[in-house]
Amino acid sequence: MYDVVIVGAGTAGMSAAIYARRAGKTVLMLEEAMYGGQIINASEVENYPGIQKIPGYQFANDLHAQAMALGAEQVTASVTGIEDHETYKTIQAGDTSYEAKTVILATGAKNRKIGMEQEERLVGMGISYCATCDGAFYRGRTVAVYGGGNTALGDVEYLANLCEKVYLIHRRDSFRGNAILVDRLQKKENVEFLTNRIIVDLIGEDQLDALKLQNVVTKEEQELPVEGLFIAIGQEPANAVFAPLVTLDDYGYIEAGEDCKTNVAGIYAAGDCRTKQVRQLTTAAADGAVAALAAVEFVNELDAAS
Ligand code: NAP
């Protein structure tokens, strides 16, 4: 019986592990893939207070090392269901069932897809969702980045240092990402902004050859030859598996307020997977702390009552 089982080892989950371990509780993190969450895809993090600049993967590594050094346990497993038995919960992951007094859901969100059949087929053949993972394959080539948020802008900056030419394709002419980054990119000679444009077709059989773009204002279409496309159009939650137990909003986020408490006592939601206004590294870390401290209190009350 663990005191705290954390589902997801991204920034929120690993921050929760640190706080729960420092409070002396037993902690298991269940993560279906590589620890780190979304931030491993960020080439540079420049907005985490106290750290001027750090590659995203480095930030994730440091956070993970901190949690593990404090004695958190981690198992690679995909959670398929959770049951509430009031004084404890069971967490099903593959063939294994874990028991815990509390559960922190910190599942983050998954990369949003454009939603074309060719997109699936061309992943790894010109299409990527991670510039820092795959950028090196496109050294000296012409690529495009799709999106107007900080991920897309960061990807363009990273790729501009490797590639001959980088197009930034965005559906509007103003950006959701930081103006400081936009300014920096506009000064780069090998970066070209193609705004007010959407991708309407991905051209290529076994390998991406070109994109068909449509200007959303004039409706004009153009073909843009590129060897790589980095899709950075945001994230979506993946909480369906928890729907029988915790309440989700219309978009699939777990309903929980700033106290991270869900509708089930002893189950908390932390980070990008919960309903919230601001989804940032800092808010994910903050949620981890809030959820862990609430879980610690819950465990203490359970232990005192038994
Ligand atoms: P995001 O901020 O949600 O931006 C997604 C972008 O994709 C938006 O510009 C959006 O356009 C566009 N988009 C969404 N759906 C689309 C579709 N179906 N077709 C075409 N375009 C579409 O996502 P993000 O950039 O991944 O960032 C997520 C969060 O992480 C943000 O809070 C961000 O600040 C943070 N982040 C931080 C760092 C860092 O600290 N260094 C790095 C990366 C990300 P519209 O603008 O028109 O909606």
Side-chain angles (χ1 to χ4, degrees):
M1 172 81 74
Y2 286 93
D3 290 322
V4 186
V5 162
I6 300 169
V7 184
T11 299
M14 293 195 286
S15 301
I18 290 168
Y19 271 78
R21 279 303 299 148
R22 283 176 56 83
K25 302 304 174 200
T26 53
V27 172
L28 171 68
M29 290 188 287
L30 296 171
E31 166 59 60
E32 63 181 358
M34 166 81 179
Y35 65 79
Q38 290 169 47
I39 205 62
I40 51 170
N41 295 342
S43 49
E44 296 286 356
V45 177
E46 296 178 358
N47 57 4
Y48 196 86
I51 301 176
Q52 215 169 7
K53 193 171 181 170
I54 187 169
Y57 72 87
Q58 183 73 53
F59 180 88
N61 277 347
D62 292 352
L63 194 52
H64 186 252
Q66 192 177 357
M68 300 311 273
L70 282 165
E73 293 174 42
Q74 191 195 328
V75 169
T76 303
S78 180
V79 172
T80 49
I82 298 177
E83 281 178 23
D84 179 34
H85 309 277
E86 290 192 11
T87 52
Y88 71 99
K89 332 281 176 203
T90 48
I91 303 101
Q92 197 65 36
D95 294 337
T96 311
S97 183
Y98 298 92
E99 290 184 350
K101 294 173 188 166
T102 62
V103 176
I104 298 176
L105 302 172
T107 50
K110 304 249 180 291
N111 292 320
R112 181 175 289 132
K113 309 274 190 297
I114 304 176
M116 295 173 182
E117 176 271 320
Q118 312 90 295
E119 186 178 0
E120 296 284 320
R121 183 163 47 80
L122 294 172
V123 169
M125 317 299 276
I127 289 188
S128 168
Y129 298 87
C130 178
T132 42
C133 316
D134 300 329
F137 298 124
Y138 297 88
R139 193 179 291 276
R141 300 186 180 183
T142 294
V143 300
V145 174
Y146 196 27
N150 277 328
T151 303
L153 298 175
D155 286 358
V156 172
E157 187 163 58
Y158 180 77
L159 293 165
N161 291 326
L162 294 173
C163 301
E164 168 138 345
K165 172 99 187 178
V166 184
Y167 294 101
L168 174 58
I169 302 162
H170 177 39
R171 64 183 177 184
R172 294 189 292 135
D173 62 359
S174 60
F175 290 87
R176 194 175 287 272
N178 296 338
I180 193 170
L181 256 175
V182 175
D183 286 351
R184 221 150 68 196
L185 296 177
Q186 276 169 336
K187 292 186 185 115
K188 287 194 181 280
E189 282 186 359
N190 64 340
V191 171
E192 186 175 335
F193 283 32
L194 297 173
T195 53
N196 284 330
R197 286 172 175 88
I198 54 169
I199 298 175
V200 289
D201 201 5
L202 303 166
I203 301 161
E205 278 306 310
D206 303 325
Q207 181 70 39
L208 181 71
D209 295 323
L211 310 173
K212 190 185 275 185
L213 308 181
Q214 186 187 63
N215 186 311
V216 294
V217 181
T218 64
K219 303 295 173 204
E220 268 172 47
E221 292 191 346
Q222 74 183 102
E223 207 169 293
L224 184 74
V226 292
E227 287 164 279
L229 171 67
F230 292 85
I231 299 171
I233 58 172
Q235 288 83 32
E236 286 169 341
N239 296 320
V241 74
F242 311 122
L245 189 60
V246 295
T247 308
L248 308 184
D249 74 3
D250 291 345
Y251 303 97
Y253 291 96
I254 301 164
E255 281 193 4
E258 290 302 311
D259 59 5
C260 295
K261 291 180 180 168
T262 69
N263 57 306
V264 181
I267 299 189
Y268 308 89
D272 286 5
C273 68
R274 83 165 171 92
T275 48
K276 53 163 51 197
Q277 289 289 325
V278 180
R279 291 192 171 83
Q280 289 282 306
L281 204 52
T282 45
T283 58
D287 269 16
V290 171
L293 294 177
V296 166
E297 198 181 322
F298 190 89
V299 171
N300 287 343
E301 282 169 12
L302 270 185
D303 290 351
S306 64

